[in-house]
Amino acid sequence: MAHQTYPAPGPTPGAERRRPRPRILPGFGLRGPRREKHVLEAADLGALAFPVGDDGVVIGVDPQGLPAVLGLFRPGAYDLVLVGGVWTAQVIALRAAAIGARVAVETARAQLWGPMAQAAGGGQPCVTVHQVGRLGPQGASVASPVLVVRDLGARPPRSRLSAAPWQTTLTLLPYLGPNASRVLNAADLVGVQRIMPQEAELVGRVLSLPAEDVAALPALGDDLTLWATRMRRQYVRAVAGPAEQQVLGGPRRMD
């Protein structure tokens, strides 16, 4: 919440009139310390370097050991599909909650999600678990983004929720079902963990993966995910912190 300062109360009789303090515009917060301005010559601008990366949720590390960051929330609706295990989906959900997002899980496996939801908020309902078909509008906004997790098996029904800005949907598929091509084609980003060779061939066709990635998918470790669009792809190794390990245990592909 932005902080505001207000003009000092009017002078009392006989007191010196004090100058009102200026208002601080909402959204800009408190004014920092006053310092002399630094002037840089145009010729020196080339020496400046600003490390700029994606903002979002750290979902693991890349093959070089650097943080892999997923820009999870967007000004428009954003759809992800994860062909993998509950463990990886729960890591993403916990980290979304850690940055202040609300997480709503629609699932028939409440026994897998309930303990995580209870542990996530430290008493605050930042992660909620809903029965299949009982998830209502979430009211996502830039100040209150929402991650909707749909854990509904290999043949998830179409969502009843309308697409909304700042609302991201993560559809979890334990394996590829009969309507997998439709689900994958509709996604903005697809994550694939270890799958069968026949499934890898299907994913390769839908995402236009090179042959080496198709061959690698059936042998991925429990903590590895290939995140891909038709333009880019990145292997990410999920590394759980001590608190996450206490809640979720170690990496698992199957549940």
Side-chain angles (χ1 to χ4, degrees):
M1 182 181 294
H3 296 275
Q4 291 183 321
T5 56
Y6 298 90
T12 55
E16 255 185 37
R17 185 176 183 83
R18 291 182 290 176
R19 181 180 300 173
R21 288 178 289 175
R23 285 178 179 268
I24 305 301
L25 294 178
F28 290 88
L30 297 174
R31 290 184 176 178
R34 303 294 185 269
R35 304 224 184 259
E36 294 295 327
K37 293 184 178 179
H38 298 276
V39 178
L40 196 67
E41 298 293 336
D44 297 326
L45 290 175
L48 293 179
F50 298 94
V52 178
D54 296 333
D55 343 341
V57 177
V58 177
I59 58 172
V61 295
D62 65 16
Q64 289 72 45
L66 299 175
V69 180
L70 174 61
L72 200 56
F73 301 106
R74 311 289 174 93
Y78 193 48
D79 290 320
L80 283 68
V81 169
L82 173 62
V83 185
V86 168
W87 186 88
T88 301
Q90 289 182 336
V91 168
I92 296 172
L94 281 176
R95 293 179 182 181
I99 65 169
R102 290 180 288 125
V103 179
V105 183
E106 182 182 7
T107 182
R109 301 190 288 179
Q111 74 279 6
L112 294 181
W113 288 92
M116 186 277 282
Q118 292 176 0
Q124 299 298 319
C126 60
V127 179
T128 54
V129 180
H130 306 261
Q131 296 178 3
V132 179
R134 300 292 183 89
L135 183 61
Q138 296 299 301
S141 68
V142 63
S144 183
V146 175
L147 173 64
V148 175
V149 180
R150 307 189 75 226
D151 176 20
L152 303 173
R155 302 181 66 177
R158 294 182 185 273
S159 177
R160 296 182 180 182
L161 288 183
S162 300
W166 305 107
Q167 178 174 290
T168 294
T169 300
L170 172 60
T171 300
L172 176 63
L173 303 179
Y175 56 89
L176 296 179
N179 61 348
S181 295
R182 173 183 65 81
V183 176
L184 295 177
N185 275 308
D188 297 301
L189 178 66
V190 176
V192 186
Q193 296 190 273
R194 186 173 62 250
I195 53 178
M196 299 294 290
Q198 299 87 341
E199 296 175 302
E201 293 288 344
L202 173 60
V203 171
R205 288 194 300 271
V206 173
L207 298 179
S208 302
L209 296 178
E212 57 267 26
D213 288 325
V214 173
L217 289 176
L220 293 182
D222 288 352
D223 57 352
L224 272 178
T225 305
L226 173 64
W227 292 96
T229 66
R230 288 177 179 79
M231 302 296 294
R232 299 181 61 188
R233 61 191 185 279
Q234 176 70 69
Y235 286 96
V236 175
R237 184 182 301 279
V239 181
E244 293 169 332
Q245 291 179 11
Q246 185 175 0
V247 174
L248 305 179
R252 300 179 305 280
R253 168 61 180 92
M254 302 300 295
D255 300 288

